[in-house]
Amino acid sequence: MYKNVIVKKPGKSYVKGLTTSDLGTPIYEKALEQHAAYVEALKKCGVSVTYLPANEDFPDSTFVEDTAVLTPEFAVISNPGTASRNGETGEIETTLQKFYGKFHYIKMPGTLDGGDILQVEDHFYIGISDRTNEEGARQLKDILESEGYKGTIVPLKEFFHLKTGISYLGKELIVAAGEFLDHPEFQQYEKITVPPEEQYSANCIRVNDYVIIPKGYEETKRQINNAGFETIELEMSEFQKQDGGLSCLSLRF
Ligand code: CIR
C-alpha cells in the first residue's frame, strides 16, 4: 500500500521542455487540467498528496519520478542524466527529508533517471538508457543489494526509459510492450500484452485499489479489468507530447 505521493505543478516553461516526440507543443492550460485530474485520481486511491509549486527554471520538473528511487526504508536520490534536469533533485531531497531518515545517492560519473527503475516486490530492474548509464545502474544495484534487495540491470534497445514499456501491477503480473514482451528477464511473470498501437498504455500505475491508465487504450484496459483491477482513465495528451507517462508525474511511497 502507498500512503504518500509527491507531485509537482508544471510551470509555464513546461512547454519548452525536452521531447523526442513529434506530437506538437503542449498546451499549458490543458496540461494544468490534466495534472489536476491526476492529483484527484491519486487522492481517490487514498494517498496523501504533497504538492510542490512550479519551478520555471526546470521545464521538465513536473516529472518528479526521475529524481529519486524509493523503498519503505530509504530514499535514493538519483542523478538525472541530462544537464537541464540535473538540478531538480535538491528540492525533492528536502521534501523527502520529511518522510525519510536514510538517504543514498547516485554520484558522478554515474547518472540515473528514476523512470528507468521498475520495482517488482523486492526486486528492482534497472534500465540502461540514454539517461541511465552503466555506472549509475551499477551504483544503484550495489545500494539495493547492500540493503537486502535484488537488482537486475536491463540494457534498453528502443524504449526511452525502462518504464516507458513496462509496469508492475502486483500479484506477479506485469504490463509489457515492445522489447519487453519476449525479454528473458521478465519471462517469469504473468503478462498483459500491450499491442503496438497501444504502446503508450504500458506505462500505468497501480495505486492501492486502482490501476490508473491513460485514456483511450481499450485493449490494455480490458485486460487489466479482466485481471481483476478497477481502472481510472486519465487524459494524458499534454504529457505524452513531452515523453511523459503516468508514472513520471509522481513519486509513490
Ligand atoms: C524528459 O525528457 O526528461 C522529460 N521530457 C520526460 C521525462 C519522463 N519521465 C519518465 O519517463 N519517468
Side-chain angles (χ1 to χ4, degrees), residues 14 17-20 59-61 63-66 82 84-85 88 113-116 131 160-164 203 239 241-245 247-249:
Y14 171 69
L18 300 169
T19 190
T20 61
D60 287 291
S61 56
F63 298 119
V64 286
E65 173 180 69
D66 292 317
T82 190
S84 70
R85 301 200 59 193
E88 290 177 19
D113 275 16
D116 280 317
R131 300 289 177 85
F160 174 60
H161 277 135
L162 181 91
K163 271 185 290 190
T164 310
N203 182 277
F239 297 107
K241 286 175 179 173
Q242 305 297 70
D243 291 336
S247 73
C248 320
L249 289 174

Side-chain angles (χ1 to χ4, degrees), residues 18-33:
L18 300 169
T19 190
T20 61
S21 91
D22 54 4
L23 298 172
T25 305
I27 298 162
Y28 182 58
E29 290 306 323
K30 216 168 152 186
L32 284 185
E33 278 168 29

